[in-house]
Amino acid sequence: MEEVNATTALDFLCVRDSKLAIPLRREHEEGTIGTKIKLKSNYFKIGFAEKDTIIYHFDVKITDTPCIQEDDLCKKNENNGALSASDPSLAAPKPNSVNKKKKKKKKGNSNCPSTNTDTGTSKASRAITESTPASSCRWIPKTLKQKIFEAFIQEKSVSDQIFENRIMAYDGGSSAYSTAIPTPLKKDGLVEKFEFKDPERDRKKTYKIEWKRVEYAKLGKLLSHVHKKQHMPKACQTICQALEVMFNYERTKRFTAASYNRFFSPDEKLFGRNFNIGSGKEGVVGFAMSLRLCQGWKDAGALLLNIDVSHAAFYRPLPVLEYLKTRPDGDKLFRDPTKPLSSDAITVIENEIIKKNIKVQMMKTKQSYQRKYSVKEVSPQGPGAHKFEVERGNPASLRTVIEYFEEKYKITLVYPELNCFIMTNGAQVPIEVCQIAPKQLVKEKLSNNEPKEFIKNTAVKPKDRQEMIKDTLNKNKFDEDPVLRHLGVSIENDLVSTDGRLLPPPVVKLQNCHDVNNGVWDTGSKDKFKQSATLNYWGLLNVSSHPKAHERTEELKKKLIAVAKRKGMNPQEPLFDENLSGDHNKNIASFLRNYKKGNTELQLVVFIMDKGNQKFYDLMKSLCESELKIATQCVLVKTLERITDLLITNILLKINAKLGEISQVAFYKKEIRCNYMDKLPLDTSSPSLSLLSLDGVMVMGADANHPAGGDKVSPSMVAVVASVDKFASSYVNEVHQTARLDIIEDMQEITQNLLEQYRTRTKRLPIRIIMYRDGVSDTQFTTVLACELKAMRDACARFGKDYKPPMTFMCVQKRHHTRLFCEDERDTDKSGNVRAGTVVDTVITTHSNRNFFLCSHGGIQGTSKPAHYTVLWDDSDLNMDHLQLLTNSLCHNYARCFRAVSLPSPVLYADRAAYRAKTRLEGAIEQAKHKWEKALFSSKDGKYPEEYLRAAIRIDKSMEASRKMYFV
């Protein structure tokens, strides 16, 4: 099979370097350091009965054109001779401008009353129809296409016997696959009009379906490639795509798909019971599934099926009024449904239902189908005041909405003054009879207590997770799947076994060295930080409304000074200790501005605040970091219920980093380095130096933070950090705003600025660069390599044509579904998880690239997830031991805690820096709303001006904050 090469926007961002190619995995390239352990992973071996099976690829086009719809409108309802009541276009007749010929008036009624008493056409609905060209095809949802496809296959298998014994799999877009080819598709293809009855809308509609054969390939081509240490050719990539569709097809029919490979069953609760997470939402248990080409056993290669337990938040199918009462201030705003809604209540509906595009349906009708609606706006009138013509053009058929519902549905409305929803098709439906439509995924980020409840219910112990994964495999009934049966697929029932190793932990040093046990080290109460900042010019602001906030603030001050002394920070009394809990945000900002003018030495402000006060948090971060150039530390008053030395130490860890000093460093003992020194050149001028020495090495981390799905104006934030000390514990950063792409467009400028800061701090340029890149999927590897690595090289060239430091470029992935389990329970930690430092670089790793899984952190709750590391470039010639130990060490020097973390610290710092840029932007907008709104309104592209964004987001390299880790 051959793929069509589509030109994407990313192709214009970079000049391809033909010399750059992702390095292949070397023969028998596994690490050797560490204690060997036996593991299982949630992969299942796949077999095929016939390797010569041919897979045919068909192009399928399903269209719903206006002309076909217009024919459908002319069909009469069999019961009353009216127009088809369920067609949304009835509420918004097409304007005369579409067809200049004089149209005859059509009599009929609609399922629900429309928004206009004369013609049933509102201004908004006219705008919708006028904006749609008469010649364009209407968009068809993927789920509806799949239903049409399945119905078409079934009918043609019986009537014309075209698809008899030819099982098809469809991706819901434009591709279908089969192991046999129907006779009509062997030559010219197939074009038919197909009448489909949608069970959800209880109507028939005609669609045009076009089929043609694209290509075919033998399955054996992929299976033979699995054994080779080569990058996958495009033909094999296309076969993999076909297999993914064929494996997923029955799942898309049976379950609710949350993404390409995650499936849920909210109604049946097939994989576990649903759990309430508050705010009208519930957690649903499902599974994730994907095919992976892995290294296999004895480097023979294998095609494995990865299955994991997955959880997602769905909206509960509650009555709309009940759902709205779960929103902030909902009990107050929707307490009395006997009255029309207030403007504040309507604003809540706009924010919580309309902007989030939450579908609703009527809940009290006795119809066999429940139509789903998208809400456009809230009506100004209640159902008792709004009248419409049941038969258009017939004044005698004028009814109120109350009368219509009594006649049509035998429903007596209880709240005649409560507003209606105006749907996108123009129909008006009383809010009191609406409910949230079921099976709707929550797409926005969870807030308030929702994440806590979600995590509490999704934390599954490793042993239980293994059983759930096996149960999921059985409930999928792969052996009964008709598509897979024709493909000759067999799947083993046991999780695959693989060898792993437990890496020796590094030593963590403050003033003294501390041994690490399963990713945790006890520093004691008296050990000082490695390098302590001086805490002498700081202030304390209590802005909490909690009744005990002042008392807790005083206790915090005493404890903070006492523990800071033990940590070597030589603290002084705060310059100010103010209680501004009743003040407006603007007054607090004015206080800080005025104080800073007379006290330029102020370096830190500690805020005591309430949970959920996000606007204040954004405002203070923007004000202090961008304008006043001072560090901030926010402490929730709730965490001060019990003030312990450990709590204060954790706060001081962050403060010490924000003031530019280093709390701790991590490194491997000399005996480990010496034992493996023979793996490296002894020449000290060599770029490799010694096994784990980072002296002269700049370690970088990069990540991007994208705005929420409904946000159309905010940019993405890109952050890159770089180490400037020999332990890779102190970092500088660059943050840029960018288009919503995962590729960092300004990498050359960013790298150049970071190199300059490195030279300023160390008086030399780095002799080697190591990059940990987060937020990149497998399909983007080559693009990232071609664009970003080349940009980094170009940045180095700015410092001289002979400056060409060796680079190691690794991608870090956490969004995967690989889990590791110990075969022997004696190898687990207290939580039942694999121990911190567990690494796997065989069997389940990618068959062609240099990659490994590392679980660097100890388990706390649930099942630990390892990080996946893929080497995209390495001209430092580091072997697997170097890469794995270096990575494990970087997971032990995170400045925010005394325990190992799941990702290397530069990756986490980049993530925090990107998120902090987003916070500063929100704060800048909050400070000057009118200015930003005016700029947005006057912009041609509907985006904020570039100069506004730059001023709000970036911390310039000339600023003091750029030399300190303010984002920790």
Side-chain angles (χ1 to χ4, degrees):
M1 295 184 184
E2 293 186 3
E3 275 190 300
V4 177
N5 287 322
T7 303
T8 66
L10 295 178
D11 292 320
F12 297 102
L13 293 178
C14 57
V15 178
R16 303 281 181 180
D17 189 337
S18 59
K19 296 180 181 179
L20 295 180
I22 297 174
L24 291 170
R25 189 183 190 97
R26 302 161 187 167
E27 285 295 326
H28 309 293
E29 185 186 25
E30 292 91 28
T32 58
I33 298 177
T35 306
K36 289 187 177 181
I37 52 176
K38 289 289 185 181
L39 302 171
K40 283 186 175 291
S41 187
N42 55 330
Y43 287 77
F44 300 88
K45 192 174 181 180
I46 299 173
F48 293 91
E50 295 289 338
K51 296 184 178 180
D52 292 331
T53 300
I54 296 176
I55 299 176
Y56 294 91
H57 177 200
F58 304 96
D59 181 73
V60 180
K61 188 177 181 183
I62 301 176
T63 53
D64 174 11
T65 60
C67 59
I68 294 177
Q69 292 174 9
E70 201 66 22
D71 293 339
D72 192 51
L73 290 178
C74 298
K75 296 182 180 179
K76 301 289 183 178
N77 186 295
E78 293 178 359
N79 296 327
N80 56 16
L83 287 170
S84 175
S86 58
D87 197 302
S89 60
L90 294 178
K94 293 188 180 294
N96 293 333
S97 60
V98 174
N99 191 341
K100 292 184 179 180
K101 292 182 180 180
K102 189 175 181 179
K103 295 184 178 180
K104 294 181 181 180
K105 285 187 178 180
K106 300 177 184 178
K107 295 183 180 181
N109 63 356
S110 178
N111 218 22
C112 297
S114 72
T115 58
N116 191 289
T117 56
D118 298 322
T119 64
T121 309
S122 69
K123 291 181 180 179
S125 59
R126 282 200 299 271
I128 292 172
T129 53
E130 286 170 0
S131 65
T132 306
S135 59
S136 66
C137 295
R138 291 198 180 186
W139 174 76
I140 305 174
K142 183 176 179 179
T143 51
L144 180 56
K145 278 188 175 182
Q146 288 171 331
K147 292 176 183 177
I148 296 168
F149 176 88
E150 183 65 20
F152 181 77
I153 292 292
Q154 289 178 356
E155 181 177 301
K156 293 301 177 182
S157 296
V158 176
S159 61
D160 302 338
Q161 296 185 341
I162 293 176
F163 297 103
E164 186 180 19
N165 296 323
R166 296 173 178 88
I167 305 299
M168 292 280 175
Y170 178 51
D171 68 352
S174 60
S175 293
Y177 301 93
S178 178
T179 56
I181 181 168
T183 304
L185 300 179
K186 289 182 178 179
K187 294 182 179 179
D188 302 327
L190 184 69
V191 179
E192 296 224 4
K193 285 188 178 180
F194 176 64
E195 189 176 70
F196 172 70
K197 183 176 181 180
D198 188 349
E200 288 191 6
R201 300 190 177 190
D202 193 32
R203 64 170 179 178
K204 292 182 178 180
K205 207 166 191 180
T206 302
Y207 296 89
K208 182 180 179 182
I209 301 181
E210 301 173 72
W211 289 67
K212 66 177 180 179
R213 192 184 73 179
V214 178
E215 193 53 90
Y216 68 92
K218 287 186 177 181
L219 178 62
K221 189 169 187 177
L222 173 66
L223 299 180
S224 62
H225 170 76
V226 170
H227 308 298
K228 303 174 183 176
K229 292 291 183 290
Q230 296 176 1
H231 294 305
M232 192 184 299
K234 287 188 177 180
C236 290
Q237 290 178 24
T238 311
I239 297 173
C240 275
Q241 292 170 6
L243 290 176
E244 286 272 9
V245 172
M246 298 173 90
F247 268 79
N248 287 345
Y249 182 58
E250 284 298 313
R251 266 112 318 261
T252 59
K253 289 164 58 179
R254 288 178 61 193
F255 308 121
T256 300
S259 62
Y260 179 69
N261 62 352
R262 292 170 68 221
F263 304 95
F264 298 89
S265 181
D267 293 341
E268 297 179 49
K269 305 174 181 60
L270 188 62
F271 305 104
R273 63 180 182 83
N274 299 353
F275 50 89
N276 186 12
I277 59 175
S279 304
K281 301 167 188 174
E282 63 182 356
V284 178
V285 186
F287 67 96
M289 186 182 83
S290 63
L291 294 176
R292 310 293 294 179
L293 257 68
C294 299
Q295 184 182 354
W297 297 265
K298 297 181 180 180
D299 280 348
L303 186 62
L304 303 179
L305 179 65
N306 177 218
I307 293 181
D308 190 24
V309 178
S310 185
H311 299 84
F314 283 76
Y315 293 104
R316 295 174 64 198
L318 300 171
V320 165
L321 284 176
E322 187 178 336
Y323 171 75
L324 291 171
K325 287 178 182 178
T326 68
R327 314 322 297 157
D329 297 325
D331 279 331
K332 177 183 176 183
L333 294 172
F334 300 96
R335 180 186 305 161
D336 188 1
T338 62
K339 299 178 182 178
L341 296 175
S342 65
S343 59
D344 288 341
I346 292 175
T347 300
V348 170
I349 291 175
E350 290 172 348
N351 292 333
E352 298 297 332
I353 292 182
I354 298 175
K355 288 183 179 179
K356 294 178 181 178
N357 195 27
I358 299 176
K359 303 283 196 303
V360 300
Q361 64 185 31
M362 288 192 289
M363 62 179 173
K364 295 183 178 180
T365 63
K366 296 181 180 179
Q367 293 173 310
S368 59
Y369 66 97
Q370 290 286 70
R371 182 176 176 182
K372 296 178 182 178
Y373 295 92
S374 291
V375 182
K376 179 173 171 286
E377 57 184 317
V378 179
S379 70
Q381 298 173 310
H386 178 69
K387 293 184 177 182
F388 73 104
E389 292 175 356
V390 177
E391 296 180 7
R392 292 177 189 162
N394 181 7
S397 67
L398 202 66
R399 300 284 190 278
T400 65
V401 176
I402 290 180
E403 293 169 340
Y404 178 79
F405 269 77
E406 181 70 45
E407 294 175 9
K408 177 75 175 178
Y409 302 112
K410 309 303 180 189
I411 293 175
T412 301
L413 297 179
V414 181
Y415 307 119
E417 293 189 29
L418 183 63
N419 310 53
C420 296
F421 280 148
I422 300 177
M423 308 304 180
T424 51
N425 68 347
Q428 285 203 23
V429 182
I431 291 178
E432 69 171 279
V433 302
C434 289
Q435 74 172 36
I436 304 298
K439 300 181 181 181
Q440 291 189 83
L441 185 72
V442 177
K443 296 180 181 178
E444 75 273 9
K445 189 176 181 181
L446 298 180
S447 57
N448 301 324
N449 280 332
E450 296 166 4
K452 180 181 176 181
E453 289 298 315
F454 190 82
I455 293 171
K456 183 175 73 175
N457 285 278
T458 58
V460 182
K461 292 182 178 179
K463 203 169 184 178
D464 296 335
R465 195 179 197 97
Q466 282 191 71
E467 294 305 315
M468 291 176 71
I469 290 168
K470 292 177 183 177
D471 186 54
T472 298
L473 180 74
N474 295 330
K475 287 179 177 177
N476 267 279
K477 300 179 180 178
F478 289 105
D479 55 338
E480 298 177 14
D481 187 324
V483 176
L484 300 186
R485 278 209 314 266
H486 277 69
L487 196 57
V489 169
S490 62
I491 302 172
E492 294 187 1
N493 292 323
D494 295 327
L495 280 70
V496 301
S497 296
T498 180
D499 290 329
R501 287 173 292 113
L502 185 60
L503 298 178
V507 169
V508 174
K509 184 177 181 181
L510 283 73
Q511 285 295 314
N512 301 303
C513 290
H514 301 273
D515 291 329
V516 178
N517 181 21
N518 195 38
V520 180
W521 50 96
D522 182 9
T523 63
S525 59
K526 297 182 179 180
D527 197 7
K528 297 179 180 179
F529 292 143
K530 172 73 174 171
Q531 296 172 10
S532 300
T534 302
L535 189 61
N536 48 8
Y537 300 113
W538 65 293
L540 197 58
L541 273 185
N542 170 30
V543 295
S544 169
S545 59
H546 193 282
K548 293 186 176 180
H550 179 68
E551 175 187 331
R552 292 178 183 178
T553 301
E554 288 301 309
E555 186 181 355
L556 171 68
K557 180 176 67 174
K558 293 176 184 177
K559 275 276 192 181
L560 200 68
I561 292 173
V563 177
K565 284 181 180 177
R566 295 201 297 268
K567 296 300 176 185
M569 299 182 74
N570 299 323
Q572 304 297 317
E573 288 290 326
L575 298 176
F576 57 83
D577 178 3
E578 297 289 337
N579 182 10
L580 302 179
S581 57
D583 285 32
H584 191 273
N585 289 350
K586 289 185 178 179
N587 296 339
I588 298 172
S590 297
F591 169 81
L592 289 172
R593 286 191 180 100
N594 292 333
Y595 193 90
K596 178 67 174 175
K597 285 180 182 178
N599 301 270
T600 56
E601 69 275 12
L602 180 66
Q603 58 185 167
L604 169 75
V605 178
V606 178
F607 294 96
I608 312 302
M609 58 183 289
D610 296 319
K611 185 178 181 180
N613 195 354
Q614 188 64 41
K615 284 188 177 180
F616 173 81
Y617 181 86
D618 295 344
L619 180 64
M620 289 303 110
K621 293 297 183 182
S622 174
L623 172 70
C624 294
E625 290 173 6
S626 298
E627 182 182 335
L628 303 182
K629 312 297 189 294
I630 54 179
T632 58
Q633 180 60 52
C634 295
V635 182
L636 296 179
V637 68
K638 187 178 180 180
T639 64
L640 301 179
E641 290 178 357
R642 184 167 171 265
I643 302 178
T644 63
D645 283 3
L646 179 61
L647 172 65
I648 300 300
T649 301
N650 285 336
I651 293 172
L652 289 173
L653 272 171
K654 301 168 190 175
I655 290 175
N656 198 50
K658 289 175 181 180
L659 296 180
E661 298 301 340
I662 298 172
S663 300
Q664 58 189 348
V665 296
F667 56 89
Y668 274 91
K669 294 180 180 179
K670 288 183 179 180
E671 52 264 32
I672 292 179
R673 298 209 306 266
C674 292
N675 288 344
Y676 298 94
M677 188 63 74
D678 60 336
K679 296 175 181 288
L680 289 162
L682 295 178
D683 180 7
T684 55
S685 64
S686 166
S688 296
L689 296 177
S690 63
L691 181 63
L692 293 175
S693 173
L694 291 175
D695 192 11
V697 179
M698 186 168 81
V699 180
M700 300 173 67
D703 195 14
N705 182 291
H706 301 294
D711 187 348
K712 304 297 182 183
V713 297
S714 300
S716 294
M717 308 295 175
V718 166
V720 184
V721 301
S723 65
V724 288
D725 72 308
K726 65 180 181 179
F727 293 107
S729 293
S730 181
Y731 288 80
V732 293
N733 76 99
E734 279 279 318
V735 181
H736 286 212
Q737 71 277 12
T738 183
R740 300 188 185 191
L741 298 171
D742 289 319
I743 303 303
I744 302 177
E745 301 173 81
D746 300 334
M747 184 58 88
Q748 181 176 337
E749 178 189 348
I750 289 171
T751 305
Q752 184 176 340
N753 290 342
L754 292 173
L755 285 168
E756 287 177 357
Q757 293 187 71
Y758 184 96
R759 183 166 62 178
T760 301
R761 292 281 285 271
T762 65
K763 310 304 180 186
R764 60 175 175 172
L765 288 169
I767 59 175
R768 181 155 53 101
I769 296 175
I770 299 173
M771 164 66 89
Y772 287 91
R773 177 68 161 91
D774 192 16
V776 178
S777 65
D778 294 7
T779 57
Q780 296 170 313
F781 282 171
T782 54
T783 305
V784 166
L785 183 66
C787 298
E788 297 182 11
L789 182 64
K790 182 179 184 302
M792 291 170 65
R793 281 179 163 181
D794 292 342
C796 291
R798 295 291 184 93
F799 294 87
K801 62 180 182 180
D802 295 328
Y803 181 57
K804 298 177 182 179
M807 294 186 184
T808 302
F809 197 112
M810 285 195 285
C811 279
V812 189
Q813 293 171 304
K814 207 71 192 287
R815 293 184 180 180
H816 59 78
H817 292 280
T818 297
R819 303 285 178 152
L820 303 175
F821 309 97
C822 292
E823 285 192 359
D824 190 337
E825 290 188 5
R826 290 173 296 182
D827 293 328
T828 66
D829 63 11
K830 291 181 181 179
S831 67
N833 279 289
V834 296
R835 297 181 64 83
T838 299
V839 65
V840 174
D841 51 19
T842 62
V843 182
I844 61 172
T845 49
T846 309
H847 80 298
S848 60
N849 299 339
R850 300 180 67 199
N851 64 110
F852 60 91
F853 290 95
L854 172 63
C855 189
S856 55
H857 62 296
I860 299 176
Q861 62 176 342
T863 306
S864 300
K865 180 190 282 190
H868 187 213
Y869 299 86
T870 302
V871 181
L872 297 192
W873 187 259
D874 178 35
D875 50 17
S876 297
D877 292 328
L878 300 178
N879 63 28
M880 276 295 185
D881 283 325
H882 302 158
L883 296 170
Q884 292 166 6
L885 288 173
L886 170 65
T887 301
N888 195 41
S889 177
L890 289 170
C891 294
H892 286 72
N893 65 355
Y894 191 45
R896 288 171 56 89
C897 58
F898 288 137
R899 64 186 308 125
V901 288
S902 60
L903 296 171
S905 53
V907 172
L908 296 178
Y909 292 148
D911 177 70
R912 293 193 64 83
Y915 178 77
R916 183 60 61 81
K918 177 184 175 183
T919 299
R920 286 199 300 275
L921 175 60
E922 295 294 334
I925 295 172
E926 184 66 24
Q927 284 188 74
K929 272 188 178 179
H930 179 71
K931 168 189 167 184
W932 284 81
E933 288 173 356
K934 183 179 178 181
L936 183 63
F937 181 77
S938 59
S939 68
K940 294 181 180 180
D941 58 356
K943 305 278 179 66
Y944 293 125
E946 193 73 16
E947 61 272 18
Y948 282 27
L949 293 171
R950 186 183 182 95
I953 293 168
R954 297 198 185 185
I955 298 293
D956 192 82
K957 63 183 179 182
S958 63
M959 295 163 57
E960 179 66 21
S962 71
R963 295 184 282 279
K964 298 176 181 178
M965 295 165 64
Y966 64 88
F967 46 81
V968 170

